[in-house]
Each structure stands twice: as C-alpha cells, then as structure tokens.
Amino acid sequence: GAVVSQHPSRVICKSGTSVKIECRSLDFQATTMFWYRQFPKQSLMLMATSNEGSKATYEQGVEKDKFLINHASLTLSTLTVTSAHPEDSSFYICSARVWDRGQGGYTFGSGTRLTVV
Amino acid sequence: GENVEQHPSTLSVQEGDSAVIKCTYSDSASNYFPWYKQELGKRPQLIIDIRSNVGEKKDQRIAVTLNKTAKHFSLHITETQPEDSAVYFCAAKSGNEKLTFGTGTRLTIIP
C-alpha cells in the first residue's frame, strides 16, 4: 500500500532554533500533503495543506512565517518550525491522499515528537 | 468549515461487551467518514470507513453506520477484547479534501 515516510521520529531542540520535518511518499506521487499537530490527549488539528509547486494554504490561526512548508517535488514535503519555543512541543504528523481501486483514502506518516527545551 | 463532534470522550466496557462511539458533522457536503485507532505516540490506523452513498458497513467485529439526514455516524465494536483498548477518532472529509477529526474517545476494555 501507499507509504509516507516521516523523519525524524523524535527531535529535541533548544528554544530559538529551527527544526525541519520531512515526509516522503515512497511508492506514489503526492500532489497534496496535509500537516497536523497533536497535543497530548488531544485530537489531530490540521495546520496546513501543502501543494506541489505552489504555496501552502494555512488554517486559521497558524502562523505561516513560523511553520514553513515546502513541497518542491511530488514525493517530498517538509515542515520547518522556525524559532521554536516550548509551546511548539507537540506531535507533528503528515498525511497524503491516496487512491486504491478508484476509492480515495488517506495515509499517514509515523509522526515526529518535537520537544523544545 | 467542517466541525466534527465525538462522544463519549472516555468509555469503559467489560470484555466481551459492545462499545459504541458517536460522531456528528456539520458540512452536508462531506462524503467520506473514516474511523481511526491510535496507540500512544503512533500514527492513526484506519479501522473502517464509510462513504456517503452507503448507510452501513461491517468488517468482522467492527461496524459503522451513517445517517446523512441527521449528519451523524457511529462506530460499533462487538465482542470487545483487551487489545481494543486505545484512542479512537472519527473524521469527516469535506469537498476540499481536508480531513477533520473528532475529539477522540479513550476506550478501555476491562478484563
């Protein structure tokens, strides 16, 4: 089945630094990638939608200058958390739309646990 | 945008009994409703889904029902087992391809 590989799985960074998270579609082309954030014991909240070759669209309340998204190819989307602060500590997960025998669904990366100290 | 509400937030059932989780959605254009099981620190795992042209779908011990008129859908797990303990999320896909998640239900199966 369609697989999205997400790296790193865990990262600890110092406050004020930037962290890049990568999601690669391994056996399919993802023109669109969805980025979610999940705080402990909460739901997955959509942050932004990345589109290959064009600007990402951000959900209301998400700072586009802080969460930089790049989708330069059909198999790679990246999320960079700039000037990270402890409140950015969360579980970040990407997702792509996939099609199987004409039926649409979603596949998820394995997630990145970001801890900002 | 789409708004998905999920109840209950926690649910404890005796092993072997049934568990039911309910969700409502707001966007009548939503047409795809998946259910996910999520272990701590892991990605959501699809357990069953239903599309708007179907009212019910079953896969062994798991079933989902959809009432488009009332804009609600439910997950039914029968003959629950300890390994069913996890957090479950419903979701709804609206016309813009975005998937909106419910708030989650922590299911505990009591041996």
Side-chain angles (χ1 to χ4, degrees), chain A residues 43 59 97 103-104 106, chain B residues 38 43 51 93 97-98 102:
Chain A
S43 185
E59 296 300 303
R97 196 90 162 91
Q103 299 283 346
Y106 296 82
Chain B
Q38 188 180 31
R43 77 186 83 195
R51 300 177 196 278
K93 182 190 80 67
E97 303 292 294
K98 294 181 183 180

Side-chain angles (χ1 to χ4, degrees), chain A residues 68-86:
Chain A
L68 301 180
I69 289 174
N70 184 281
H71 197 148
S73 78
L74 288 170
T75 58
L76 176 63
S77 177
T78 62
L79 167 67
T80 301
V81 183
T82 64
S83 187
H85 288 97

Side-chain angles (χ1 to χ4, degrees), chain B residues 4-41:
Chain B
V4 179
E5 295 189 358
Q6 182 172 346
H7 299 281
S9 57
T10 61
L11 178 62
S12 295
V13 301
Q14 290 289 141
E15 181 178 355
D17 287 350
S18 296
V20 179
I21 303 171
K22 299 182 179 182
C23 287
T24 60
Y25 61 99
S26 61
D27 187 352
S28 56
S30 289
N31 57 10
Y32 174 65
F33 307 91
W35 284 88
Y36 295 94
K37 177 182 182 182
Q38 188 180 31
E39 310 282 353
L40 188 63

Side-chain angles (χ1 to χ4, degrees), chain B residues 53-71:
Chain B
N53 58 346
V54 176
E56 185 175 358
K57 183 177 178 180
K58 188 174 181 180
D59 182 6
Q60 299 184 351
R61 297 186 298 110
I62 297 173
V64 56
T65 58
L66 171 65
N67 183 327
K68 285 192 297 181
T69 303
K71 289 190 278 190

Side-chain angles (χ1 to χ4, degrees), chain A residues 40-117:
Chain A
K41 296 187 178 181
Q42 293 190 25
S43 185
L44 286 80
M45 299 301 295
L46 182 65
M47 299 175 65
T49 302
S50 75
N51 303 290
E52 187 268 334
S54 64
K55 291 184 178 180
T57 54
Y58 290 80
E59 296 300 303
Q60 193 171 12
V62 178
E63 300 174 60
K64 62 179 181 179
D65 294 330
K66 181 172 181 61
F67 299 99
L68 301 180
I69 289 174
N70 184 281
H71 197 148
S73 78
L74 288 170
T75 58
L76 176 63
S77 177
T78 62
L79 167 67
T80 301
V81 183
T82 64
S83 187
H85 288 97
E87 56 265 31
D88 298 324
S89 298
S90 188
F91 188 62
Y92 293 85
I93 191 164
C94 60
S95 174
R97 196 90 162 91
V98 292
W99 299 92
D100 180 22
R101 289 168 285 185
Q103 299 283 346
Y106 296 82
T107 186
F108 289 84
S110 52
T112 297
R113 171 73 57 195
L114 170 63
T115 303
V116 185
V117 297

